[in-house]
Amino acid sequence: MTLFRTLTPVLALALGLFVAASPAAMAQQGPLRITITDGVIEPLPFALPDFIPETGGAGDYAQQITRVIASDLSGTGLFREIPASAHISRVSSFDAPVAYEDWKAINAQALITGAVSASGDKIVVKFRLFDVYSGQQMGDGLQFAGTPATWRRMAHKVADQIYARITGEGPYFDSRVVFVSESGPKDARQKRLAVMDYDGANVSYLTDSSSIVLAPRFSPTGNQILFTSYESGFPRIYLMDTGSMQVAALAQQEGTMTFAPRFSPDGRRVLFSLERGGNTDLYELDITTGQSRQLTNAPSIETAPSYSPDGSQIVFESDRSGTQQVYVMPASGGEATRISGGAGRYSTPVWSPQGDYIAFTKQNAGRFHIGVMRSDGSEERLLTASFLDEGPTWAPNGRVIMFMRESAGAGGQSSLYSVDISGRNLRQVTTEGPASDPAWSPLLP
Amino acid sequence: MTFFPKALLIVAALGLAACNNPDRFGKGGAGADGAGGYGAGGIDANGLGDPNNPASIAYFNQSVGDRVLFAVDQSTLSPEGRNILIGQAQWLNSNPQYAIIIEGHADEQGTREYNLALGARRASAVQDFLISQGVAPTRMQTVSYGKERPLAICSEEACYAKNRRAVTVLSAGAGA
């Protein structure tokens, strides 16, 4: 139940740059580089000796932090860890010179060394990244300070630095995912809101299962969550503050159903669908004034709206052509341009945080797909296929997509999966039980 | 472990008193065949009355027929559906003591939010038809469950066809 509350002040990111021992710190254009938009690539082998405990009581943290870093990197499918049993060199101290030849001999391309100290309620993690083949340190050494409760976040921060330096992409490991935790049989499913680290750790539950809850979404700062609940008996959108756990109903109007909420990039407005008399249109609510405004006015279903990262446009789905298709219109409303053009139905469009792609769900010939396309509909690429894949959400760096996959039949259950925008590295995200409707947070501060 | 603050619970409780809570009472509105809606706030499984009493909810569910079915992705009423609704309207007009919630549902072959909107279309189509048959609009509310509450759980058309439905759920103490 303690979410960001505990984290924010604690890990007020003592992101310290300690003086790098070698002047080779600018070796950023070294040969150690993965371009993740390339096709099939061989994972880059790295060596990650256990971080060195520099104080008594730091041993467990050092070991666990090392494992989380390894898991983050290997989990991308872009890196492969060389097991410690194959290491020739032993790293005895953080400042000991690197025996590059020993790491080359086992084909390690990257070497990560680190140390952990613990004193009182404070833990400090520092690391260095080395390009083994050029024999140089890559970037500066960095250190992060936190409390025992935030050790995993510190590990994610280290892994984020390494990932970003080698791929040139933004980091994403230090992030959370809000989702719907499911239990019970298909015809009496119980649902409750939950939040976890991006890798499935540190789960906490935000509601009980007394009401159906659907499709949560983070605010741009990660400290508020929009969701749809049947708490009143009817689907309505609510806003939860993750610090205080206070919940407020938004845009209440008698006789209407509201759903599919999503924040504007500045966090001040909420786009949503409002149904009245069987017809669903898009609306925008100004959270500060409570004023809402109708953006579409058509007899068709308009839903699943998402802003472009600059806030100037809205992508949404509509069945105005007869089936679900994806459209883009100005943020103020007005004329919409259809961008989906292939066979089948297109839905749940979400603009990438980088602005370069729109992720969507596609239904065609009895199968569901998660795909991406440019905002003009070009370069469509399907990343997955199954009985039911639905509801993509973007990692903070816009390079990985999480979604839900449901299996068929009476025993059908939902799980969370992630996949690269290149379609590689499809993998299930570990959750305690069945899970659906994931929404990724921004990178934590 | 409920995190909803008091203010919200009060709002919810008021809503319940005024208009039922279709999500809360499980299969209360279900007919004897085990099928049914999820509504009928305030009426438990034993509160449906004697099916031989033509003014009972049990009679409505079983003999009049509490639901109509829809084609894939459609909300147009079929001739059979209209016949059932004509019967519903006659019964409802003779039994004005009941309040009505029309639940719209979709099968699982669709995305969650679209299916919510589709279920609302179906519920609304039924409501509009009942109004055209003289049922007072003030007695009726609609709610959509999208694909959240399937009745039949196989992943085949035989089940999907049962799930694409609008169910007329009654509760006593009516008239909003």
Side-chain angles (χ1 to χ4, degrees), chain B residues 31-171:
Chain B
D33 59 355
Y38 281 82
I43 297 185
D44 61 28
N46 300 319
L48 302 178
D50 178 356
N52 296 317
N53 171 7
S56 73
I57 294 175
Y59 180 89
F60 176 82
N61 290 349
Q62 291 168 42
S63 301
V64 178
D66 65 347
R67 72 202 51 215
V68 294
L69 303 179
F70 295 88
V72 175
D73 201 22
Q74 295 300 311
S75 55
T76 310
L77 296 169
S78 66
E80 301 90 317
R82 275 194 290 271
N83 282 339
I84 289 170
L85 294 178
I86 288 168
Q88 284 190 7
Q90 286 168 352
W91 191 92
L92 292 167
N93 286 333
S94 335
N95 293 280
Q97 70 273 30
Y98 292 107
I100 302 150
I101 291 187
I102 302 155
E103 298 178 354
H105 298 265
D107 67 32
E108 70 186 358
Q109 309 168 95
T111 45
R112 196 178 309 291
E113 290 168 339
Y114 180 81
N115 276 357
L116 271 185
L118 177 60
R121 266 185 183 163
R122 289 173 175 162
S124 185
V126 167
Q127 182 179 37
D128 289 349
F129 190 88
L130 291 176
I131 290 172
S132 79
Q133 297 297 306
V135 181
T138 48
R139 295 173 65 189
M140 290 189 279
Q141 287 184 292
T142 59
V143 63
S144 175
Y145 284 95
K147 60 175 173 178
E148 300 307 310
R149 285 290 179 258
L151 206 56
I153 57 176
C154 70
S155 294
E156 290 156 29
E157 176 54 25
C159 288
Y160 296 159
K162 291 178 185 155
N163 293 334
R164 295 188 298 263
R165 68 201 193 275
V167 185
T168 303
V169 178
L170 307 183
S171 62

Side-chain angles (χ1 to χ4, degrees), chain A residues 1 186-187 189 191 205-206 208 211-212 214-215 217 230-231 233-235 238 245-247 257 259-260 275 277-278 280 300-301 304 317 319 324 345 347 363 387-388 390 404 408-410 437, chain B residues 1-5 8-9 11-12 19-24 27 38 73 101 108-114 116-118 120-121 124 141-145 147-151 153-155 160:
Chain A
M1 277 119 282
K186 203 168 173 177
D187 56 349
R189 197 140 278 170
K191 298 192 169 196
Y205 295 93
L206 306 177
D208 62 22
S211 307
I212 299 173
L214 307 173
R217 319 269 192 231
Y230 282 71
E231 175 81 16
F234 298 86
Y238 295 87
M245 304 298 289
Q246 290 289 312
V247 176
M257 164 173 99
F259 59 106
E275 176 271 340
T280 299
S300 42
I301 291 172
E317 64 169 85
D319 69 350
Q324 287 165 282
R345 307 161 69 153
S347 55
Q363 262 176 279
F387 167 72
L388 207 178
E390 179 181 342
M404 69 158 244
D437 295 10
Chain B
M1 196 163 77
T2 296
F3 295 99
F4 290 113
L8 187 66
L9 288 176
V11 171
C19 63
N20 310 321
N21 186 330
D23 183 33
R24 182 148 308 211
K27 293 190 175 183
Y38 281 82
D73 201 22
I101 291 187
E108 70 186 358
Q109 309 168 95
T111 45
R112 196 178 309 291
E113 290 168 339
Y114 180 81
L116 271 185
L118 177 60
R121 266 185 183 163
S124 185
Q141 287 184 292
T142 59
V143 63
S144 175
Y145 284 95
K147 60 175 173 178
E148 300 307 310
R149 285 290 179 258
L151 206 56
I153 57 176
C154 70
S155 294
Y160 296 159

Side-chain angles (χ1 to χ4, degrees), chain A residues 288-346:
Chain A
T288 49
T289 65
Q291 294 287 319
S292 57
R293 198 159 68 89
Q294 187 167 356
L295 297 180
T296 64
N297 189 357
S300 42
I301 291 172
E302 275 71 39
T303 191
S306 166
Y307 282 102
S308 60
D310 67 1
S312 70
Q313 291 172 286
I314 293 168
V315 65
F316 64 98
E317 64 169 85
S318 167
D319 69 350
R320 60 185 65 177
S321 73
T323 59
Q324 287 165 282
Q325 298 294 338
V326 172
Y327 295 78
V328 171
M329 69 175 178
S332 52
E335 196 176 336
T337 307
R338 176 171 160 180
I339 64 165
S340 55
R345 307 161 69 153
Y346 292 76

Side-chain angles (χ1 to χ4, degrees), chain A residues 144-228:
Chain A
F144 301 97
T147 65
T150 60
W151 70 267
R152 281 187 124 266
R153 284 202 58 195
M154 290 186 276
H156 290 318
K157 287 282 185 205
V158 171
D160 269 334
Q161 284 291 321
I162 293 161
Y163 171 90
R165 287 177 190 188
I166 296 179
T167 65
E169 302 287 351
Y172 72 94
F173 302 128
D174 187 24
S175 59
R176 304 273 276 161
V177 171
V178 62
F179 64 102
V180 173
S181 168
E182 302 193 352
S183 60
K186 203 168 173 177
D187 56 349
R189 197 140 278 170
Q190 304 274 298
K191 298 192 169 196
R192 53 184 177 154
L193 281 189
V195 63
M196 64 185 187
D197 294 354
Y198 96 98
D199 58 0
N202 287 328
V203 181
S204 42
Y205 295 93
L206 306 177
T207 65
D208 62 22
S209 55
S210 56
S211 307
I212 299 173
V213 286
L214 307 173
R217 319 269 192 231
F218 272 112
S219 65
T221 51
N223 56 14
Q224 291 175 308
I225 292 168
L226 288 165
F227 62 103
T228 301

